[in-house]
Amino acid sequence: MEIKIVGPGCKNCQKLKENVETAVSELGITPIITKVEDMAEIVKAGVMKTPGLIIDDKLVVSGRVAKPKEIKKLLQD
């Protein structure tokens, strides 16, 4: 499983990364987590509003910080 946090490195992007780390820790899984901060890559990923969350190449959240509970649900689907 691969998770990408997409955004320029703002406060909301950092919070989303923290929430992802909390969610995967609670689930006991070890996915590959990467940050995408390059603007060309952000646009290429289809993220028009940051932060964005991509799970296995599928954009699942854009323009807001998902809470750990929501992230856990997305990871289990």
Side-chain angles (χ1 to χ4, degrees), residues 9-44:
C10 63
K11 182 177 77 171
N12 285 339
C13 299
Q14 296 298 326
K15 183 62 179 171
L16 180 58
K17 183 176 185 289
E18 290 172 19
N19 289 353
V20 166
E21 290 170 347
T22 298
V24 298
S25 174
E26 289 177 4
L27 289 173
I29 59 175
T30 54
I32 298 168
I33 300 174
T34 57
K35 291 179 67 183
V36 179
E37 295 181 345
D38 179 65
M39 286 307 290
E41 290 297 315
I42 292 171
V43 171
K44 186 177 171 182

Side-chain angles (χ1 to χ4, degrees), residues 16-77:
L16 180 58
K17 183 176 185 289
E18 290 172 19
N19 289 353
V20 166
E21 290 170 347
T22 298
V24 298
S25 174
E26 289 177 4
L27 289 173
I29 59 175
T30 54
I32 298 168
I33 300 174
T34 57
K35 291 179 67 183
V36 179
E37 295 181 345
D38 179 65
M39 286 307 290
E41 290 297 315
I42 292 171
V43 171
K44 186 177 171 182
V47 177
M48 297 299 142
K49 291 184 178 182
T50 61
L53 180 63
I54 297 174
I55 299 173
D56 291 333
D57 294 321
K58 181 180 176 191
L59 180 63
V60 294
V61 175
S62 180
R64 63 185 177 83
V65 178
K67 297 198 178 336
K69 182 178 178 180
E70 178 185 2
I71 296 167
K72 284 172 35 177
K73 185 176 183 317
L74 291 166
L75 293 170
Q76 292 174 322
D77 287 344

